[in-house]
Amino acid sequence: MALFANQIESVEGGGFKLQLGAVAAKLREAGEADASGDAEGAERLRREAQLLLAAMEPIATRYEAVRENSPHGRARTQAMGDLVDQARKMAELDFVSTDAVAELFRSGQDGNRITALGLMLGNPRLVSLPLLTEAIRRPRSSFEQWHALRICSDLVRRDSQPAQHEEIREAISIARANGSLGDPRDRSRTKLAQQIADAMEN
């Protein structure tokens, strides 16, 4: 594992670089713990790195495969939701930077964008309002827009500022105007947007 750490961050593809970079960071921390004489801490960090590596089927690639190959319906939505939840749990380990999340979202791949949103769901420190409002205004899918709205709802409930409220209002207004928010078959996003608007007024 230690020998692998020097090469692990160069691997590309479908959000995999970000995940592998997390493993490499754990291994570097383990080396530092060893150097400081903390053998127990070093062993714990190496175990965490091994668990991350073992569980690291690329989230973004799997998301795109589910979207492309699964029929529309509850099972498809659940499968995509499970992948977002996987990204959310990764963020709880607190090894991802805000810059990495932004880079992931800006890569342009649908799977990378949804992985970035999952990471934001898992750690408020990673939330980027410009990325969220972009996903609300010009979503790649209703699923992506729903999760961006969900994060905005959490942000408003925590302790957001008036300037942030204005950005969220504007994004929702644009989404309504361009028709991306309205869907007669599924009003969940419309309802969530209204709940956000109501919360910002209170």
Side-chain angles (χ1 to χ4, degrees):
M1 292 288 285
L3 292 173
F4 189 43
N6 293 330
Q7 301 174 358
I8 202 169
E9 286 181 295
S10 66
V11 180
E12 298 281 354
F16 207 35
K17 181 181 180 181
L18 178 65
Q19 299 173 40
L20 290 175
V23 177
K26 290 284 183 186
L27 292 172
R28 282 195 298 271
E29 289 176 31
E32 292 167 4
D34 260 338
S36 67
D38 182 9
E40 184 177 341
E43 180 59 27
R44 175 181 55 79
L45 287 162
R46 287 193 181 97
R47 283 198 304 270
E48 289 178 5
Q50 288 170 337
L51 287 170
L52 283 169
L53 190 59
M56 222 180 286
E57 197 173 348
I59 295 170
T61 302
R62 288 166 58 204
Y63 169 81
E64 292 178 3
V66 169
R67 273 196 72 201
E68 183 176 346
N69 300 320
S70 301
H72 287 269
R74 185 172 298 176
R76 178 179 184 258
T77 302
Q78 180 62 53
M80 294 191 299
D82 289 344
L83 294 172
V84 172
D85 195 51
Q86 186 178 333
R88 181 186 62 76
K89 289 176 181 176
M90 284 179 60
E92 290 172 358
L93 297 174
D94 203 29
F95 51 64
V96 183
S97 71
T98 52
D99 288 344
V101 172
E103 181 182 353
L104 195 64
F105 187 92
R106 298 289 187 203
S107 72
Q109 292 182 339
D110 291 358
N112 285 348
R113 284 166 62 104
I114 203 67
T115 301
L117 292 175
L119 291 165
M120 285 189 245
L121 272 171
N123 190 335
R125 178 181 62 80
L126 301 176
V127 170
S128 167
L129 191 55
L131 300 183
L132 293 177
T133 53
E134 181 176 333
I136 292 170
R137 294 192 307 267
R138 294 184 292 275
R140 298 289 178 83
S141 66
S142 58
F143 185 81
E144 178 183 283
Q145 189 181 57
W146 160 261
H147 283 287
L149 288 166
R150 181 182 169 192
I151 300 166
C152 283
S153 178
D154 291 343
L155 179 64
V156 168
R157 283 202 306 270
R158 283 197 300 271
D159 189 24
S160 53
Q161 304 302 313
Q164 294 176 315
H165 290 185
E166 189 55 39
E167 288 185 60
I168 294 169
R169 284 193 191 94
E170 182 182 5
I172 290 173
S173 176
I174 290 171
R176 285 191 175 121
N178 65 28
S180 66
L181 190 59
D183 185 343
R185 298 166 301 175
D186 176 13
R187 296 187 57 80
S188 59
R189 286 169 292 131
T190 304
K191 290 178 181 178
L192 182 54
Q194 187 58 53
Q195 289 170 6
I196 294 168
D198 293 344
M200 290 188 295
E201 295 301 323
N202 297 329

